[in-house]
Amino acid sequence: MAAAEITLNRKPPLSSSNKKMILFLLLVGCFLYISWLQLGKWFDRPHLLPPSPGSHDTATLTEAKVKEILQALKRHVPAVNQTQLELTSSGAHSLVTLMNPKENYCVGEIVSVRVEMNDYRGKPKTYGGDFILARIHSPELKAGAAGVLEDFNNGTYRVNFTLFWPGSVKVSVLLMHSSEVVSALWRTREFGTDKFIFTGTFRNSTLHETSRCDIHLSTNETVCEFKDERNQESFFCFKPKTLPCETLEYTTSRNSEASCLTQAEKQLLKRSAVGVKIPNDFKDMTVGDCKVGRVPQAAGKCELGVSSPTPSGFFHSGRWSSSYCRMRSFQSASDMNQCLQGKQVYLRGDSTIRQWVEYFGSTLKNLKCSHSSEQHASRTASDKKRNITMSWKNHGFPWVSVNSFFITKGMYIFQELDRLSGGENTVVAISVGQHLRPFPLKLYVTRLMNIKQAVTRLLQRSPLTRVFVKSENTRELKSEMVRMSDWHGYLQNLALKEVFRGVKVGFIDAWDMTVAANTFSIHPPNNIVKNQVTLFLSYLCDDS
């Protein structure tokens, strides 16, 4: 019986046709699986987010708003074309004068100085447009605050300072660029499209090819367009000889030798002419802690949607105090952990906000951070005990770096926001700007408008989500000015404030902080980052 049962249960051998059918089905299954994997990567690319209903109307409104903002920003650009050095603004030959001087001042007063710009001959300028940064400071107190500049468009300026602290207070006014340089920088930004050479690397399992990429490619050759349909943002690459467009893996960039500056304009941009201190004709001010005129302590909470004034605060003893809301100290890791407990924090943008996750990782010992050999790879950190997760990811093209920028890992921020469900424990902080300084201002303003609309959609479907926007900071005076001048950052910060005006976001004014601290570094020192984070946490957690 046993032998018979074994005989009865034995399966007949497969026929040749059955074997072929099984092999065919296996091949089809493998093909579908690989296609599915590739499709997932494909949907991570900027050109595949499908348009939503009404996207045409939204695009039209966006275009109109972008045009309106650009027109307003152009009013800051002087219409001059002067390249004779002796006729241009000279910081060393100009003068700062204290208006309505007196022996003593009180905390809370507003003090004004007059800036009279002269050329290299010592003769008064008759038009404005100079790029000037001004601050008050007390070095022994580690105190500083930015001033508010008013351009009278006749070669004279007024700077207003709020006296936030008692003591001996100095006034410092720097001529960053003359109006003539500003005019040249504007022209090179708007019409100089050859500042970088982007190279795209296309790759499949066996081949790799490279080709030129850029925001625009004027050519009759076949190109790959990587386009986000909803937000109408694109970049292009020349099509590789054999590989398809969807195999684009990463881009790199290097500076181009080309420039639309004349030799005379290049002379005006020498390092010695950048950030020149304008001499004062007065001594340091003596400020007392008077009963009358004292500045009131910021009593209100740091609430989302409240506009950030200028100056937005001041440093004292190295600590930043907001001028419009009450900040907590967060001196201990315990306080920070308590504030962040249960939250998912999404940091998106450039490396200046990547510094936040690095700061948190070095300060909170239980927050375990991922590490990668890739310089611009995404960063993640988590504290499982407290249910804290934090991540940083860079923004989409263009990413200016000789290091590889992986396309599938660098989606546009507005695409990332549209994928978030949000919630009361979801926190988003965004910083975009440094990598867009070299490109036409329209690209930056359009990018901001698209981010703003994605933020609006996120808050509509999840009103308890908290969103923050961090402005740019100043950077090195030795930076290549045509591409990376702080004047470009100054215009972009004006645009940032205008785009997010009235939107329920928290604003971290990194520009104001770095001007007040006189810090010129693309990656500000740790104390600046600490104070940015403290303001951020003060929005999140005010227990009073």
Side-chain angles (χ1 to χ4, degrees), residues 278-348:
I278 304 174
N280 300 344
D281 73 346
F282 56 92
K283 297 180 181 180
D284 297 347
M285 294 180 291
T286 300
V287 182
D289 194 3
C290 314
K291 293 183 179 180
V292 180
R294 288 188 62 181
V295 62
Q297 294 297 314
K301 291 184 178 182
C302 296
E303 296 185 274
L304 303 181
V306 176
S307 60
S308 173
T310 303
S312 63
F314 64 97
F315 281 106
H316 192 280
S317 302
R319 176 181 171 184
W320 182 258
S321 293
S322 169
S323 64
Y324 61 93
C325 72
R326 180 180 58 249
M327 291 176 60
R328 286 180 56 187
S329 61
F330 292 98
Q331 293 292 335
S332 69
S334 176
D335 289 342
M336 296 171 66
N337 278 324
Q338 184 178 5
C339 180
L340 292 171
Q341 184 162 339
K343 293 180 175 59
Q344 295 81 51
V345 182
Y346 299 87
L347 306 175
R348 296 295 183 264

Side-chain angles (χ1 to χ4, degrees), residues 52 80 96 136 167 257 347 367 375:
S52 61
V80 296
V96 180
I136 52 173
E257 296 298 327
L347 306 175
L367 194 67
Q375 182 177 1

